[in-house]
Amino acid sequence: MNIILIILGILSIAYDAVIILINPGTFLDIVFSFTHIWLALGAYLIFLGIYRIKTGHSFWSIWKRWIKITFISLFGIGLIISLINLILILNPAVASINDSAENVILLGGGIDKDGRLPDSVITRVEKTAEYLNANPDAICVVTGGTLKWLPYPEAPELKNQLVKRGVAAERILVEDQALDTIQNFQFSCKMLADYRGVGVQEILAAPTVVVTSRFHLRRSERLARRMGFKNIKGIPAACPLIYIPHNYVREICAYVKLNLRILLTGEPKKLLS
């Protein structure tokens, strides 16, 4: 058991390192990366394994009974909440390639320090290009600004990749200021309204497709509906297998955070203009 804990800890730390290596960022981006949750977990597991070997008993045994009961209760509640949110995340509203929509919003999902999109974002681009090529009347907004600690905005490279896949440049609007999913929808809606010469409410009422990774789709749709999009569906893009554990752990945390934000503040509210 002790050796298993240490091995699992080493694997967790290695997973953190692999994620960083395949999607390199600047120094500060790496330092503050959410991926280090795997580093923390790995260090904890190694500590537990070594502690058991040196002392002959578990770290768990030194705590008082009331602390154990409290920890188990909180862990159980957290696990139930996480499972409920995971079920929701796994069941977004999905559009088909034949569902004709006037507007398409492609959400950015990261860019590395050299201005390259990771494989998980390239799959979003490919799904978007497939949809746009099958629906020639649709207009697409590519949205993604310059994320903290990184030197490049995502949106211009998203457009470049779409053009390489046969989408006419004039069908692509570049929104390069958004820093989160709420701003993605807020700024994209305004840009579409300006482009079409209509009010924001008309854009909110129009059929809209959002393209993002499958794990991110349910939260994106929920945010869009809270902001007033009345007819929105998503096209899910697959992400490489290596990212799946990390992406779903992070998305559960983000979905729980969104629920708390809605409960405590009522944000985000509907777009009015």
Side-chain angles (χ1 to χ4, degrees):
M1 180 62 182
N2 301 332
I3 298 301
I4 292 176
L5 286 174
I6 293 174
I7 292 173
L8 289 175
I10 293 172
L11 290 175
S12 184
I13 292 172
Y15 183 60
D16 176 36
V18 168
I19 295 295
I20 293 294
L21 286 172
I22 62 180
N23 188 26
T26 61
F27 174 76
L28 289 176
D29 180 52
I30 292 172
V31 168
F32 293 99
S33 174
F34 184 84
T35 63
H36 296 325
I37 188 174
W38 301 102
L39 174 64
L41 175 62
Y44 177 68
L45 291 174
I46 291 172
F47 165 77
L48 289 184
I50 293 174
Y51 184 89
R52 288 170 63 98
I53 291 172
K54 286 192 171 184
T55 64
H57 57 76
S58 71
F59 185 68
W60 176 252
S61 65
I62 69 174
W63 300 106
K64 294 182 178 179
R65 186 170 179 269
W66 70 268
I67 294 179
K68 294 179 182 180
I69 293 173
T70 301
F71 175 83
I72 292 173
S73 300
L74 291 175
F75 179 80
I77 292 171
L79 182 61
I80 291 170
I81 291 173
S82 297
L83 289 174
I84 292 172
N85 281 274
L86 178 60
I87 291 170
L88 294 173
I89 290 167
L90 293 173
N91 290 279
V94 176
S96 75
I97 202 73
N98 298 317
D99 287 339
S100 180
E102 298 176 17
N103 304 316
V104 178
I105 300 174
L106 168 57
L107 301 183
I111 193 168
D112 70 21
K113 65 179 181 180
D114 300 316
R116 291 190 297 261
L117 300 174
D119 291 344
S120 57
V121 179
I122 290 297
T123 58
R124 300 184 188 189
V125 172
E126 290 171 345
K127 284 290 185 181
T128 305
E130 181 184 0
Y131 184 86
L132 291 172
N133 288 329
N135 294 272
D137 294 329
I139 295 297
C140 177
V141 179
V142 291
T143 172
T146 305
L147 301 178
K148 199 172 185 180
W149 318 123
L150 290 172
Y152 300 102
E154 299 174 65
E157 184 58 20
L158 291 171
K159 177 176 180 177
N160 290 339
Q161 293 297 327
L162 283 175
V163 171
K164 287 181 180 179
R165 288 162 173 80
V167 181
E170 58 269 22
R171 297 177 61 199
I172 307 169
L173 308 180
V174 177
E175 188 292 296
D176 61 0
Q177 299 301 310
L179 300 179
D180 57 32
T181 308
I182 293 175
Q183 290 184 355
N184 287 146
F185 286 117
Q186 179 183 354
F187 298 162
S188 296
C189 182
K190 180 66 165 58
M191 183 169 284
L192 284 165
D194 291 343
Y195 173 82
R196 294 188 180 280
V198 299
V200 165
Q201 296 304 314
E202 290 185 55
I203 298 299
L204 293 175
T208 303
V209 162
V210 58
V211 185
T212 187
S213 299
R214 177 173 288 277
F215 68 87
H216 185 232
L217 193 54
R218 176 64 183 247
R219 179 161 58 97
S220 299
E221 291 173 349
R222 188 173 186 201
L223 282 169
R225 290 191 184 99
R226 284 196 61 84
M227 296 173 74
F229 285 87
K230 298 178 177 63
N231 187 5
I232 190 163
K233 289 184 179 180
I235 294 179
C239 65
L241 290 176
I242 188 68
Y243 289 107
I244 287 177
H246 173 67
N247 284 339
Y248 277 94
V249 168
R250 184 178 63 181
E251 188 62 19
I252 288 170
C253 294
Y255 208 85
V256 171
K257 179 182 176 182
L258 172 60
N259 289 332
L260 289 174
R261 179 177 183 174
I262 292 171
L263 179 64
L264 297 175
T265 69
E267 299 287 344
K269 291 183 170 60
K270 290 187 177 181
L271 298 174
L272 299 177
S273 61

